[in-house]
Amino acid sequence: MSDIAPSADTLLMAKPAPRSRNMGQILRWLILFIGGIAMIMPIAYMISTSLKWPHEVYNVNLIPEEPTIENYTYVLEDGRFYWWFVNSIIIATITTICNLLFDSLVGYTLCKFRFPGRTIVFIAILSTLMIPTEMLVIPWYLMSQAFGWLDTYWGIMFPGLMTAFGTFLMKQFFESVPDDFIEAARIDGLNELQIWWTVAMPLVKPALAALAIFVFLGNWTAFLWPLIVTNSVDMYTIPVGLSGFGDEADVAWELIMTGAAISTIPTLIVFLIFQRFIIRGVVMAGLKG
């Protein structure tokens, strides 16, 4: 029986996986773990503070010595917080719906229609992203005052009913919709609104879901503009209202953290509703690639 030397491929297959690959994977998991802890700690501290008595607020212990739900009882029984919550729900919901409609309409028009000045219009819309919000507050306020929108829902909502970011996002996603689908729908006799609604919109659900999350969170946590345009306490949103839990001498951090903890519930619900569309979009994009 003759000795046969193993081939080079056999030797390579017999070698164990390099340790550098295992170390790299461990390093990646360690970085993700540290990042996860850094993201969770503010939420944990918020919940911890909401369960503390006023004299424990400045205690660095994460676990309260004497946990209490009195802060939640006080905030939920406060009639003002109820109206702040309702105001925030109304404003964030209507603004999100308007963004999904208007941004997708403009994005679809800029993507699928050919007309003179289309590029100029798109650049003009994108250029508004470079203008800081603080510079727009005075024009917004003067407009609200001229039209009688101060201290109203419309006055709070109108600056965000359509956004340049949403228009850009939707236009880029509509680029992935094949023109053959649009032409086939036109041959079948559908008008442009029907094509936009029945053909194009179902194909960009991941973008719509992402835009809905961004817009809802942005309006839910907005503070500067609602603070400026509202005068009565009943028209406050949650961020503006929570800032009133205190005075120059003392700030009721336990009540602020309690209100903030309660106000995170709608944002979690919105994320849970729309996350499956985003994940599905990522998976489909990977399969197409």
Side-chain angles (χ1 to χ4, degrees):
M1 183 175 181
S2 60
D3 294 335
I4 301 176
S7 62
D9 292 339
T10 304
L11 293 175
L12 290 175
M13 294 178 60
K15 288 184 178 180
R19 294 185 58 184
S20 59
R21 182 182 304 175
N22 295 333
M23 291 300 297
Q25 187 174 4
I26 293 174
L27 182 60
R28 286 194 296 270
W29 280 107
L30 181 61
I31 294 173
L32 290 174
F33 178 77
I34 295 174
I37 293 295
M39 295 178 65
I40 292 174
M41 281 303 296
I43 300 176
Y45 185 78
M46 174 185 69
I47 297 175
S48 172
T49 305
S50 69
L51 297 174
K52 292 180 179 180
W53 294 97
H55 65 274
E56 291 186 65
V57 169
Y58 296 100
N59 192 334
V60 295
N61 294 334
L62 190 61
I63 300 177
E65 297 178 359
E66 300 176 4
T68 178
I69 60 172
E70 288 294 327
N71 298 323
Y72 287 89
T73 303
Y74 178 85
V75 170
L76 293 175
E77 290 180 352
D78 192 330
R80 299 175 301 170
F81 184 81
Y82 169 78
W83 284 112
W84 301 340
F85 194 90
V86 171
N87 293 339
S88 295
I89 287 289
I90 293 174
I91 292 167
T93 302
I94 294 178
T95 306
T96 301
I97 293 173
C98 289
N99 269 268
L100 295 179
L101 291 176
F102 298 150
D103 293 349
S104 60
L105 275 171
V106 177
Y108 176 79
T109 302
L110 293 174
C111 177
K112 297 303 180 182
F113 287 85
R114 302 292 184 268
F115 55 89
R118 184 184 65 160
T119 304
I120 297 176
V121 172
F122 183 57
I123 294 175
I125 293 175
L126 289 183
S127 64
T128 60
L129 293 172
M130 296 183 290
I131 304 175
T133 303
E134 292 77 9
M135 293 182 62
L136 299 172
V137 167
I138 294 178
W140 289 345
Y141 186 85
L142 294 177
M143 184 184 299
S144 299
Q145 189 178 40
F147 288 99
W149 295 342
L150 294 178
D151 208 31
T152 63
Y153 286 133
W154 182 254
I156 300 174
M157 292 186 299
F158 85 89
L161 294 179
M162 178 180 171
T163 61
F165 169 77
T167 301
F168 171 76
L169 179 67
M170 296 309 303
K171 179 184 180 300
Q172 296 306 111
F173 266 78
F174 279 126
E175 294 284 355
S176 64
V177 177
D179 292 336
D180 293 341
F181 290 1
I182 307 298
E183 294 299 329
R186 288 171 181 164
I187 293 174
D188 290 340
L190 298 181
N191 59 44
E192 295 301 332
L193 282 178
Q194 290 174 327
I195 295 173
W196 164 74
W197 182 255
T198 61
V199 177
M201 290 289 277
L203 297 176
V204 293
K205 285 182 178 179
L208 293 172
L211 182 61
I213 293 175
F214 294 149
V215 174
F216 189 90
L217 290 179
N219 285 273
W220 186 264
T221 59
F223 177 77
L224 179 61
W225 176 242
L227 175 65
I228 294 173
V229 78
T230 55
N231 299 321
S232 60
V233 177
D234 291 339
M235 284 301 302
Y236 285 173
T237 57
I238 285 182
V240 178
L242 291 180
S243 65
F245 280 141
D247 50 35
E248 295 182 359
D250 188 24
V251 178
W253 289 111
E254 70 281 0
L255 298 181
I256 293 177
M257 293 300 177
T258 300
I262 297 174
S263 65
T264 58
I265 296 175
T267 59
L268 292 176
I269 294 174
V270 169
F271 178 77
L272 292 175
I273 291 174
F274 290 105
Q275 69 164 344
R276 63 190 183 95
F277 296 106
I278 298 177
I279 295 174
R280 185 187 305 171
V282 173
V283 172
M284 293 301 295
L287 293 176
K288 291 179 182 179

